[in-house]
Amino acid sequence: MSYLEDPITTCLSDRVPYSMVRGNHDTGNLFDYYFGVARFNGRSYYGGHYSNTNQNNYVLFDVGEFLYISISLDYNPDIDELNWAKSILQSHSDRRAIIISHSILDNPAGDWTTPGLNIYNAVKKHPNVFLMLCGHMH
C-alpha cells in the first residue's frame, strides 16, 4: 500500500485515495495496527470513521465533475454501524455512493449473506447508492 501512499510514485501530493475493509479472517488488532485511523488522518480524502477504530470508514473523491463517496463497512455491521452509514449517506447525498463490505454475497450464484442483506436493506432507500462491492466469494 505504500506505493499508493507515496507522492513521488503517484505524482499526487495527497496520494491515491483508498480505504480498507476487514474480512472474516482479519480478526484481532492487526487491521487497526496497520490500517487504523492514524494511517488516514490528515489526508484530504479521508472522511472519517465510526467509533474508535477504522473498521467502518469512508473516503471522498472526485473524478472530473463527478463526486463520489465510498463507505467501507466491517464484516458484519451491527445496527449502530448501519445507522452511521445511513447518516453519512444522508450528509453526502450530493455524491454517488459506493458501499464496500467483505461479506455481501456468499457464492458464485450471488446469494446474499445475512450481513449483506442487512447492509442492502439499510442503504437501499438512498438514491445516491449505485454500487456495492464485496470480496467474500467462494
Side-chain angles (χ1 to χ4, degrees), residues 17-19 44-48 57-72 88-100 127-133:
Y18 80 97
S19 82
S44 64
Y45 63 85
Y46 185 65
N57 63 77
Y58 71 99
V59 298
L60 306 164
F61 62 98
D62 305 341
V63 179
E65 64 188 56
F66 298 106
L67 308 176
Y68 293 93
I69 182 170
S70 175
I71 301 175
S72 296
I88 297 300
L89 288 169
Q90 183 66 34
S91 297
H92 297 281
S93 60
D94 61 325
R95 292 180 170 267
R96 297 170 186 214
I98 302 165
I99 306 296
I100 304 169
N128 53 330
V129 175
F130 78 99
L131 182 63
M132 295 177 72
L133 301 170

Side-chain angles (χ1 to χ4, degrees), residues 9 20-21 36 42 47-48 56 62 75 78 80 82 90 108 117 123-124 127-128 135 138:
T9 58
M20 282 290 190
V21 65
N56 297 279
D62 305 341
Y75 177 75
D78 63 29
D80 293 331
L82 293 173
Q90 183 66 34
L117 192 55
V123 304
K124 69 182 179 183
N128 53 330
H138 299 279

Side-chain angles (χ1 to χ4, degrees), residues 18-89:
Y18 80 97
S19 82
M20 282 290 190
V21 65
R22 181 173 96 125
N24 57 310
H25 297 285
D26 302 317
T27 59
N29 298 326
L30 289 178
F31 178 85
D32 277 302
Y33 178 79
Y34 288 103
F35 297 105
V37 173
R39 184 175 193 133
F40 295 94
N41 256 346
R43 298 185 188 193
S44 64
Y45 63 85
Y46 185 65
H49 56 92
Y50 174 81
S51 188
N52 59 352
T53 71
N54 207 35
Q55 295 167 15
N56 297 279
N57 63 77
Y58 71 99
V59 298
L60 306 164
F61 62 98
D62 305 341
V63 179
E65 64 188 56
F66 298 106
L67 308 176
Y68 293 93
I69 182 170
S70 175
I71 301 175
S72 296
L73 296 171
D74 202 11
Y75 177 75
N76 187 8
D78 63 29
I79 190 69
D80 293 331
E81 293 164 327
L82 293 173
N83 286 336
W84 170 81
K86 291 191 299 187
S87 73
I88 297 300
L89 288 169

Side-chain angles (χ1 to χ4, degrees), residues 96-108:
R96 297 170 186 214
I98 302 165
I99 306 296
I100 304 169
S101 185
H102 183 70
S103 181
I104 294 176
L105 301 176
D106 196 30
N107 58 44

